[in-house]
Structure formats: C-alpha cells, structure tokens
Amino acid sequence: MSENGTRTDPLDPTGVLKGMRDAAMTNWAQMMTHLVNTEAYAGATGAMLDASLSASAPFRKLMESTMAQSLANLNMPSREDFIRLAEQLTHIEMRLDDMEAKLDALARPAGGGWNRTES
Amino acid sequence: MGNTSTRTALDPFQQVCKNWHEAAKNVRTFNRLLSSDAQIARTPKQLVWTLNKAKLYRYSPMVDPHPRHKTPLLLIFAIMNRPHVLDLRPGHSFVEYMLKQGYDVFLLDWGIPGPEDKNLSFDDYTLEYLPRAIRKFQSITGAQQFSMLGWCLGALISTLYAALRPDDGLKNLVLLTAPLDFSDKAAGGFSRWASDAAFNADRVVETFGNVPGEMIDAGAKMLKPVENFVGTYVNLWDNIDDVGKVSAWHAMNTWVRDIIPMAGAAYRQLINDFYKHNRLVEGTLSLRGEPVRLSQLRASVLNVIAESDHITPPCQSERVMSLFGTEDKAVHRVRGGHIGIMAGRGAEHTTWPHIDQWLAARSN
C-alpha cells in the first residue's frame, strides 16, 4: 500500500509493523475490490437504493406540496417559480448568443476568414 | 563517569521528546492538508464566452505567435467534475505544458448545474452548448479547423459531436479514457452496477432532480473502497515529510473534494442509453432526432487508454476504434489509472509528450 513499506528494515520494530500493515491493507483492498465487483453486491446496492428512494418519496412529496402551499399563502415565490425563471433566462441568453454570432459574422472582413486576435 | 551515565540516560529521553515533537508536527500538517485547499488551476486565462453555467476560457499564450501551432486546441472535461485537473498546479499542469509547446489552448468548463438544469441531457451538451462554444472559439481564433481533447464523459461528448458534425472544422480528436462501448457488462464496477436490473436511474433522477455530487463521488470511491477511503490517507501519512509528494497529494485532494452534481437528464441517459443499452455502439442512439453514426466521424483520432482504469476499463474505449469512419486513428495505451495517466507524477514524461507529438504533426 505505501511506498515506504517496501523498504523496511527488519530490525526496526515500526518498520516490521508497517510491513504487516501494508500486507494486511493489500489483502483487504483486493478482497473489497472483488466484493464490490460481484453481481450480488450490484443487485443488493441497487435494490437498497431503490427501496430507500421509494420509501422516502411520499414524505418528500408531502413536504414539497406543503412548502409550496405555505409559500403561496405568504405570497412568496416557490422553488419551481425560480426554476422557471432561470430556464427563461437561459433561453434569453441563447438568443443573445445567436445575435452575438451574427454580429461576429458581420464584423468579419469581406474577404472571408476571421480576424486573428491575440489577448 | 557521572556525566556519561547522565548523558546515556538523557539521550533516549531526548530522542523520545524529539519523536513526539515530530509526530505532533506531522499531525498538524496532516490536519492542515485535510482541511485546506491547495492553489489549483492557476494558469492565467481569460473568460471569452458564457452560456448558462458553461464558460469558455482562453489561456494566455506562453510562446510567441510565430512558432505557435496554427490549429487551436479545445479541452472538454467531464460534466460531473471540475475541469481543474487539466491545470492542476504550476509546474505540473497539462494546460501549461501544451501552452509551452505552442498551442492556443481553450477550455470549455460546463459549470455547476443548478436545479433549473435538471433537464440538460447529452443532446443539449452536444448539440447546443458545444457547437455554440466552438462557434465563438472559431470566431476568436480565426481558425476554421481545430483540435479537441475530451476526457472521460468529455470524450463521450466530443465523440458524439465529431460523429454528428463532421464538417464543422474538427480536424483532430484526442480521446482520454473515453467510455463509449458498454457491451461487456462485467467490465468494471460501474458497468456491473449500472447494468443491474435493480438499479433504477429514473428513480434517482425523480428523487433528486440533479444527481448529488456526494452520490457520484461515493460511487466512484466504492469502486476501490480501501484505496480511496483508507489507503490515500495512509500514503499521505507515510510521505508527510516529502514536500513534493505532499504538495501533489494536496492539489489532487483539493480537486477530488470539489464535487458537483450531475444534470439529471444526462445521468438518466448515461445509465439507460449508454450503460444499459449500449446505444452508441449498437447504432440506435439519436440526439435531438439525429442518429449518431460513428462511421461519420472523419477527424483524426488518438485514443489514449489507461491500462489500470477501473472507472473506464480499456475495453470500453478500445473496441470502438474499428467503428470510426476515419482512416487516421491510433490507440495509445498508458500504464496508470483513470486520472493518473494525465495528472499523475509520470504524466509529463509519458502521456503529455505523446499527445503533443501526435497533435503537432497534425496542427500546422
């Protein structure tokens, strides 16, 4: 595991311990890498993740609708409102980008090709 | 006599005190490294274009215009990590190296997706953001032909672009650890996990919108759990007196800790279309209704493969070469892992010079 571990002095007790530690970690690492690459691990983690997300879904939806209702009652914008606004801004940015590209094309010399700029 | 016996009695005691002092200093250094950020991505650059969270940077040239290569280089990194690993630290930066070799280097940073970006998919990255960035990049440089280097999912996006827009000026394509072919479901942990019927990417996206960075980070670390959760810190402790190794570790750890979410729609597509159904290689992938045919890819291709890559195993990058339409294509295998081949200590002597030589021969 460690680069120092390969150069230990057998008369140095800490060096011997370090060598034992490295050997143990190498074995542990191989075992764990093998374990996480098995079908059983893949199936178990997939099923566990799916179960936990499914179980939390009703609470999450309840929380979201309660929060949205509370904000609406307080005349406050919700998260969804902000998301819609941000999406609209991105669309406007894209239109501006198109206009900028057209201006760049107009600014190009009539002979074709672009100006080479250096910063 | 008395003096000698006092000295021999004190020497071991002094040695113990010195050792404790050293250990205390090492603990302080260890804590500082874990709780602070290194200075990374320091190469001077200018922001030349933005769209939503995406930013296009142009690095300040390091050589005079005359010996500079005519074909500029655009770097594309993955969408679920920050691109700073391409410019890790002064003296050990791929960007800095390429600037010194005379390239005009640009970087497209996808940015950090917010909740409003949960519907961003590979369609948007490939056919909306990337072409617009390239349009600006061509406008600034004046070069109609350009080179593109994509790493990890950046390589996937670059490949999709190269296949869908073969006539838009892409001359050279460098792919680094490109996950393209998912036919071998037993190759590597991600393939096995994502291909499992129990893994429901739709449920993850429905729950979170964007997939949290912590979840992606934990998944990547679980591919080699002992090395990532324990071994890295043991290595740091063992080398704590080595300034060079400590500074390299600190820079890499700063990048690793800077985790970002992944746009939900892109994640869903990655798992369902690529990992589960291997649509790109099967020829059944369409982006915005346009079928993606790798045979349409006509740029010269250098495919750099990491032999010990546990995130993108070599088979995910190598077999696809025969499907590319270009005649000028090469595979370069490098000893090392997914990140190590570009950011490890040996990268500047192995991977970087090879990329430079391959590109230089095609950049004038």
Side-chain angles (χ1 to χ4, degrees):
Chain A
M1 194 51 59
S2 96
E3 287 173 31
N4 290 354
T6 56
R7 295 192 299 269
T8 51
D9 176 0
L11 297 176
D12 172 14
T14 56
V16 173
L17 286 173
K18 210 182 251 188
M20 286 165 63
R21 178 205 69 187
D22 289 344
M25 276 187 62
T26 304
N27 289 336
W28 184 28
Q30 281 173 354
M31 188 192 77
M32 287 302 292
T33 305
H34 176 73
L35 175 77
V36 300
N37 274 291
T38 57
E39 289 285 347
Y41 179 86
T45 47
M48 253 165 53
L49 180 68
D50 200 44
S52 65
L53 295 179
S54 305
S56 65
F59 300 105
R60 202 184 60 253
K61 280 183 183 150
L62 181 67
M63 181 97 95
E64 280 171 6
S65 62
T66 309
M67 182 59 79
Q69 193 58 54
S70 307
L71 288 169
N73 290 342
L74 291 167
N75 280 333
M76 300 272 283
S78 69
R79 182 186 174 89
E80 288 305 314
D81 293 329
F82 277 112
I83 287 175
R84 266 196 299 277
L85 203 59
E87 283 172 348
Q88 280 178 355
L89 281 173
T90 303
H91 290 142
I92 293 169
E93 251 192 294
M94 283 185 180
R95 290 188 176 197
L96 286 172
D97 189 61
D98 288 337
M99 286 166 67
E100 191 186 335
K102 282 178 183 154
L103 287 172
D104 280 348
L106 285 173
R108 246 179 266 153
W114 287 278
N115 286 323
R116 191 172 179 94
T117 59
E118 295 296 341
S119 56
Chain B
M1 266 314 262
N3 278 350
T4 312
S5 62
T6 308
R7 197 180 305 130
T8 49
L10 276 178
D11 279 350
F13 178 70
Q14 283 173 344
Q15 189 60 43
V16 168
C17 288
K18 193 180 158 210
N19 287 351
W20 272 109
H21 183 72
E22 281 289 309
K25 191 187 87 179
N26 289 347
V27 168
R28 278 198 300 274
T29 309
F30 193 80
N31 286 339
R32 179 180 58 80
L33 293 169
L34 290 184
S35 56
S36 65
D37 287 339
Q39 299 280 305
I40 58 172
R42 307 305 290 173
T43 305
K45 58 185 183 291
Q46 297 87 43
L47 178 66
V48 294
W49 173 87
T50 65
L51 179 63
N52 193 5
K53 315 298 182 317
K55 292 181 173 68
L56 180 67
Y57 293 100
R58 184 187 206 181
Y59 287 94
S60 303
M62 289 189 176
V63 296
D64 293 333
H66 197 57
R68 223 178 285 161
H69 294 293
K70 283 181 188 158
T71 311
L73 173 63
L74 176 61
L75 308 177
I76 313 280
F77 194 61
I79 50 177
M80 75 296 205
N81 289 107
R82 306 294 286 141
H84 307 324
V85 69
L86 285 158
D87 181 25
L88 203 54
R89 58 198 168 99
H92 189 75
S93 153
F94 175 68
V95 166
E96 189 185 282
Y97 178 85
M98 294 305 271
L99 287 170
K100 285 180 178 166
Q101 304 309 313
Y103 294 91
D104 193 0
V105 182
F106 288 71
L107 169 74
L108 178 57
D109 179 353
W110 300 110
I112 304 171
E116 67 277 14
D117 301 314
K118 66 181 180 188
N119 294 320
L120 280 183
S121 63
F122 281 93
D123 304 48
D124 302 303
Y125 287 123
T126 309
L127 294 177
E128 196 72 66
Y129 285 74
L130 186 52
R132 286 170 183 274
I134 287 170
R135 186 168 70 187
K136 187 65 187 177
F137 158 81
Q138 288 179 315
S139 162
I140 292 168
T141 59
Q144 296 194 36
Q145 290 195 314
F146 62 98
S147 303
M148 190 152 67
L149 180 146
W151 189 355
C152 188
L153 288 188
L156 172 58
I157 293 170
S158 305
T159 304
L160 297 173
Y161 174 83
L164 285 166
R165 298 286 180 269
D167 301 319
D168 284 4
L170 178 62
K171 188 180 180 195
N172 308 307
L173 176 63
V174 180
L175 303 174
L176 301 174
T177 65
L180 303 172
D181 178 4
F182 301 92
S183 52
D184 187 352
K185 303 296 181 199
F190 273 151
S191 255
R192 207 183 274 275
W193 300 348
S195 307
D196 194 273
F199 185 74
N200 190 342
D202 297 319
R203 182 103 60 208
V204 174
V205 175
E206 278 164 24
T207 305
F208 295 115
N210 291 329
V211 181
E214 291 79 3
M215 187 175 159
I216 296 166
D217 184 53
K221 284 181 174 165
M222 277 307 288
L223 290 171
K224 285 193 169 183
V226 177
E227 289 89 335
N228 290 317
F229 290 114
V230 184
T232 181
Y233 304 106
V234 172
N235 271 340
L236 172 63
W237 181 258
D238 286 348
N239 295 300
I240 201 113
D241 292 326
D242 187 326
V243 176
K245 283 182 183 169
V246 163
S247 113
W249 189 95
H250 195 202
M252 181 57 78
N253 192 55
T254 301
W255 175 73
V256 167
R257 287 196 319 162
D258 192 5
I259 50 177
I260 61 170
M262 182 173 174
Y267 179 81
R268 191 198 305 259
Q269 215 173 3
L270 178 68
I271 302 297
N272 292 340
D273 289 354
F274 293 97
Y275 272 101
K276 283 189 195 276
H277 296 111
N278 196 24
R279 290 200 191 285
L280 178 61
V281 167
E282 295 291 328
T284 55
L285 181 72
S286 292
L287 298 186
R288 292 195 172 174
E290 290 185 53
V292 184
R293 302 198 200 294
L294 291 174
S295 58
Q296 294 296 309
L297 194 155
R298 292 199 291 274
S300 299
V301 175
L302 173 65
N303 192 352
V304 181
I305 293 171
E307 288 185 338
S308 309
D309 195 338
H310 61 291
I311 294 174
T312 305
C315 64
Q316 288 184 359
S317 310
E318 197 160 26
R319 294 183 201 150
V320 81
M321 289 295 279
S322 60
L323 302 177
F324 292 157
T326 178
E327 293 293 315
D328 182 17
K329 50 191 168 185
V331 170
H332 180 55
R333 294 179 77 99
V334 186
R335 284 179 64 190
H338 192 72
I339 300 298
I341 62 158
M342 281 295 279
R345 267 174 287 155
E348 57 203 277
H349 305 296
T350 53
T351 320
W352 302 353
H354 190 89
I355 292 171
D356 167 43
Q357 283 160 19
W358 187 87
L359 268 181
R362 294 163 177 80
S363 292
N364 290 311

